[in-house]
Amino acid sequence: MNVPEEVQFGVLTVVVILVLFYGITFVISTRIGKKEENADGYMTAGNNIGFGISAASMTATWIWASSMYASATSGYTYGISGPIHYGLWGALMILFIYPFGRRIRAVAPKAHTLAEVMYARHGRSSQVMLAGSNVVGSVISLMSNFIAGGALISLLSPFSFFQGVIAVAGGVLLYTLWSGFRASVLTDFVQVVAMLGAVVIIVPAIFFAADFPAAFETGAANLTPQQGNFFSSDAFLNQGAPYIAAVLAYAIGNQTIAQRLFAVREDLIKKTFVTATFGYGAMVIGVGMLGVLALYLGIEPAGGDVNNLVPQMAATYLTPALLVLFFVMIIGALSSTADSDLAALSSIVMTDGYGQTVGKENANPKTMLLIGRITMIVATAAAVAFASLQLSILDLLVFVGALWGALVFPVIASFYWDRVTNKAFTISVVAALAVFLPVRFSLVPLDGAVGIVVDVLAVIGVGVVIGLMTFGFFGARVGRIAGAVAALAAAPFAIGTLHEYTTLTASLVAYSVSTIVCTAITMRNRERFDFALIKQRVGDFDDSPDDEPVAAGAR
């Protein structure tokens, strides 16, 4: 099959595009910033963002360049069903947090982070665990977006990977540092409009330029039977099922989602999350199909790095004008998520590192702002350093999702069950991590009796995941029934074999162990917690009058 030569930009072209993109974004952020910034506005924009801005921001934050690259990698690895297993379950991550989001917002309407609420609900150790996991996840997310930017620039220009990472990191920090979350959400709106417009043009353009649909027939021999099967068990067990397990984990463990939950106007939460679900699913599945096309065409990833697949396809089959559009789309996608990560990290350090340490009444808003901005600079430097390792983006995302699984049940239970204690939360998370890590990295042989025990725990994990998803929409009774039915249905097929899929098994084990331990300890407690106390303990740090709602006209 004839493959055209790849197109490359010159140095001047790349510099002009980056200067224009980040320059315009910086100008926008300075126009929306305030001369005397408010600490609460810097973190959550006054808890009063309108529908248009919030839905666009949620979509842009979830549609990161890493998602596009990982979806294409899934398509290239698992064939025609790969992008579906990545994009569909990723979209449902947003949808399934909606009912829990309404509960969390009702309990803590003026919160800035989930960890802050856990401090008010339980105490320090629960807060540290959740904040720590959020920091790890946000730094990994930031790093993966810088990796995506470095890979893009190095493949399409004479610049090196590391020079590309520096350019993207500097550009994102430039416009986010000034206005924090406010800059993040409003630039997200501009970026998501550009991204959606670009993907509608770019994916079909590559499709026809690469001689599809005829190439489906001529390239079919490049696919294995599993890759050519829409109902591939390999794709489900290695990609789809781990993502189903990670659906709630990403939503609970990711501070960028929590930050938008606390920022959007309370009556608009449902509309925001539903809209973002459809926007994310359509775009990520569409871009992921580029990996499938590459598989049919027999294209090998440049340098053996699957992160290069998407820019490689664009450089091979797009005209120079469309390649510029593609370049802007990817830079916009990774920047919108990277700025969200910076805003999330600054909020965690401002609120959980400083605000809750000195006390809400003693916190100095100006000191908080300074801490937030320093956090952004330090986080950017750390992510740039880690990005030089050039780890696989898909592997990073799957690992983080599974790690967060240990927190899901203790966090959700803490918002509904008034008998959950700090001790139950802490011990259950530690126990889940203690089991998760050896299973995930095969530190112990999973054959024989150990394998059976792990399979049984994983089957219970299936019940926990399905039960929690159902509970969010239909309540506790239906959730318990659905969870039990799911576990019983999975048991005959899973026990004895499931431990062979360590990514999926580790994630499910994290769910089950945390649920079993948390429930067992909680059942021994007879004291009841008054959820009304959270609203009294969590609130604004800055007493100065807040600014007007962000982009009220966009509602």
Side-chain angles (χ1 to χ4, degrees), residues 523-541:
M523 294 295 288
R524 296 168 60 88
N525 177 46
R526 297 299 171 190
E527 295 183 8
R528 306 281 179 171
F529 178 79
D530 181 4
F531 286 105
L533 290 174
I534 294 178
K535 194 178 296 185
Q536 299 172 20
R537 295 172 179 172
V538 176
D540 290 341
F541 288 99

Side-chain angles (χ1 to χ4, degrees), residues 312-386:
Q312 196 176 340
M313 288 289 287
T316 304
Y317 293 105
L318 290 179
T319 63
L322 286 178
L323 193 59
V324 170
L325 190 63
F326 165 81
F327 189 83
V328 172
M329 177 188 78
I330 297 296
I331 291 294
L334 66 90
S335 298
S336 66
T337 307
D339 65 36
S340 301
D341 290 323
L342 288 179
L345 284 163
S346 66
S347 294
I348 292 170
V349 177
M350 289 167 72
T351 301
D352 300 297
Y354 171 74
Q356 294 296 342
T357 301
V358 302
K360 186 160 68 77
E361 295 75 16
N362 301 320
N364 184 332
K366 290 185 178 177
T367 303
M368 293 188 77
L369 282 172
L370 178 62
I371 290 172
R373 286 172 174 142
I374 292 174
T375 300
M376 288 189 181
I377 296 171
V378 173
T380 300
V384 167
F386 292 137

Side-chain angles (χ1 to χ4, degrees), residues 58-376:
M58 182 71 75
T59 305
T61 298
W62 219 232
I63 299 174
W64 42 345
S66 304
S67 293
M68 296 183 185
Y69 284 22
S71 182
T73 299
S74 185
Y76 187 78
T77 306
Y78 301 114
I80 57 178
S81 64
I84 306 292
H85 282 301
Y86 186 95
L88 176 62
W89 305 119
L92 290 180
M93 290 176 194
I94 306 171
L95 184 63
F96 276 99
I97 192 59
Y98 146 67
F100 300 116
R102 291 191 66 179
R103 171 64 178 172
I104 292 169
R105 188 67 184 275
V107 169
K110 290 288 186 179
H112 308 87
T113 69
L114 271 181
E116 176 189 22
V117 183
M118 283 301 103
Y119 179 71
R121 171 69 175 88
H122 291 308
R124 182 66 70 191
S125 61
S126 302
Q127 178 201 24
V128 169
M129 283 188 168
L130 192 52
S133 73
N134 287 163
V135 168
V136 171
S138 293
V139 171
I140 288 178
S141 170
L142 193 60
M143 172 183 65
S144 67
N145 279 287
F146 290 167
I147 290 173
L152 175 73
I153 292 174
S154 65
L155 201 69
L156 298 185
S157 76
F159 288 112
S160 69
F161 169 81
F162 193 68
Q163 288 171 329
V165 169
I166 293 292
V168 170
V172 172
L173 183 63
L174 173 72
Y175 72 82
T176 313
L177 191 65
W178 178 251
S179 299
F181 183 71
R182 198 192 316 279
S184 174
V185 293
L186 285 180
T187 53
D188 280 351
F189 181 79
V190 177
Q191 290 160 349
V192 80
V193 170
M195 284 190 295
L196 288 171
V199 79
V200 168
I201 298 170
I202 286 170
V203 176
I206 293 177
F207 182 85
F208 290 111
D211 200 26
F212 284 93
F216 282 129
E217 184 175 344
T218 57
N222 294 324
L223 278 66
T224 66
Q226 281 287 327
Q227 289 172 330
N229 183 0
F230 187 78
F231 300 100
S232 163
S233 58
D234 275 357
F236 177 74
L237 290 170
N238 289 302
Q239 178 67 68
Y243 257 54
I244 294 173
V247 161
L248 292 173
Y250 270 100
I252 292 296
N254 194 324
Q255 167 63 15
T256 61
I257 299 301
Q259 198 165 19
R260 279 150 184 79
L261 169 66
F262 293 126
V264 66
R265 224 178 64 198
E266 196 166 349
D267 60 316
L268 299 175
I269 291 176
K270 180 178 180 180
K271 289 171 62 178
T272 296
F273 280 70
V274 171
T275 303
T277 298
F278 285 103
Y280 172 91
M283 187 162 177
V284 171
I285 292 172
V287 174
M289 287 300 169
L290 293 180
V292 179
L293 301 188
L295 184 63
Y296 271 95
L297 293 169
I299 290 177
E300 293 293 329
D305 185 353
V306 288
N307 294 334
N308 290 329
L309 268 178
V310 173
Q312 196 176 340
M313 288 289 287
T316 304
Y317 293 105
L318 290 179
T319 63
L322 286 178
L323 193 59
V324 170
L325 190 63
F326 165 81
F327 189 83
V328 172
M329 177 188 78
I330 297 296
I331 291 294
L334 66 90
S335 298
S336 66
T337 307
D339 65 36
S340 301
D341 290 323
L342 288 179
L345 284 163
S346 66
S347 294
I348 292 170
V349 177
M350 289 167 72
T351 301
D352 300 297
Y354 171 74
Q356 294 296 342
T357 301
V358 302
K360 186 160 68 77
E361 295 75 16
N362 301 320
N364 184 332
K366 290 185 178 177
T367 303
M368 293 188 77
L369 282 172
L370 178 62
I371 290 172
R373 286 172 174 142
I374 292 174
T375 300
M376 288 189 181

